[in-house]
Amino acid sequence: MAAEDRDGFEDDDGCPDLDNDGDRVADATDACPDVPEDIDNFQDLDGCPDLDDDGDGIPDLEDRCPQAAETINGVKDDDGCPDEGESLVLLSGDKIELLDRIRFGKGNAILAKSSFNILGQVAATLRAHPEIAALSIEVHLPDAGGSEQALSEARAQAILDWLSQWGVPEARLRAVGRGASAPLVPKGDKLASTLNDRVELIVVPR
């Protein structure tokens, strides 16, 4: 008959209580029985190591503020700390909302330097939300007589390439050129050239 292990786990029933990973969370209640809990005052009773306590997508070993989530606003977005500054992106349901435009050179697919800040925030948002399995980068253009499809595809690919270079795996990204197929306002509207020239970032369901 196995001897009781005097470890504080149900010691009055006469049976040893298994704790395979030695983290003093009994296997019966340990969500990670083969991996020891890291005692860091964050969910220490579930038996699992917490590699990103604040859930900001930056591992604790690299996070200068592991108990306070990063503020994604273009200001040191990779240090793991909250800071002051205007956020230009917002994760809202099935899309990443852009609070500023992603700009290109006139008539081409060269990203303007003025868009690097917002693109960096998009990349940081994707790194902070690994549950987003895929993002569809959808570029729309106003009707200009026939060249919109190819240009929209090139611009979508340019955004994908930029995000990939900034740490977002290509497997999570889709480049989609919509051309002039889905205008927000009719071609003759005075705001058509502005409102129909847009980038939409759509979260693809798993």
Side-chain angles (χ1 to χ4, degrees), residues 1-160:
M1 180 176 180
E4 169 64 54
D5 56 336
R6 295 293 172 181
D7 56 4
F9 298 136
E10 302 294 336
D11 287 339
D12 295 329
D13 64 2
C15 297
D17 307 293
L18 298 180
D19 178 19
N20 287 326
D21 55 17
D23 61 2
R24 295 192 60 77
V25 179
D27 288 353
T29 59
D30 194 329
C32 302
D34 297 316
V35 183
E37 170 69 64
D38 60 332
I39 306 302
D40 57 3
N41 296 316
F42 182 82
Q43 297 182 354
D44 289 338
L45 300 180
D46 64 358
C48 293
D50 311 296
L51 304 181
D52 180 17
D53 286 1
D54 54 19
D56 61 3
I58 300 174
D60 288 349
L61 291 177
E62 304 172 13
D63 196 329
R64 292 180 57 192
C65 303
Q67 303 298 327
E70 171 67 62
T71 303
I72 296 175
N73 57 4
V75 180
K76 297 181 180 179
D77 284 340
D78 293 318
D79 67 355
C81 294
D83 40 47
E84 295 183 1
E86 183 181 9
S87 178
L88 299 177
V89 301
L90 175 65
L91 181 58
S92 176
D94 62 350
K95 63 176 57 179
I96 294 178
E97 300 280 0
L98 302 176
L99 305 183
D100 192 10
R101 295 171 61 84
I102 295 177
R103 297 176 172 84
F104 296 85
K106 186 175 181 179
N108 62 44
I110 300 174
L111 284 161
K113 290 183 179 180
S114 60
S115 293
F116 290 175
N117 182 16
I118 190 171
L119 286 169
Q121 293 186 41
V122 171
T125 298
L126 287 170
R127 292 195 298 271
H129 292 275
E131 74 276 9
I132 299 177
L135 186 76
S136 181
I137 304 162
E138 304 192 0
V139 175
H140 300 260
L141 290 172
D143 188 345
S147 62
E148 306 84 31
Q149 185 60 39
L151 180 57
S152 66
E153 291 173 0
R155 288 184 171 183
Q157 186 63 45
I159 295 173
L160 185 153

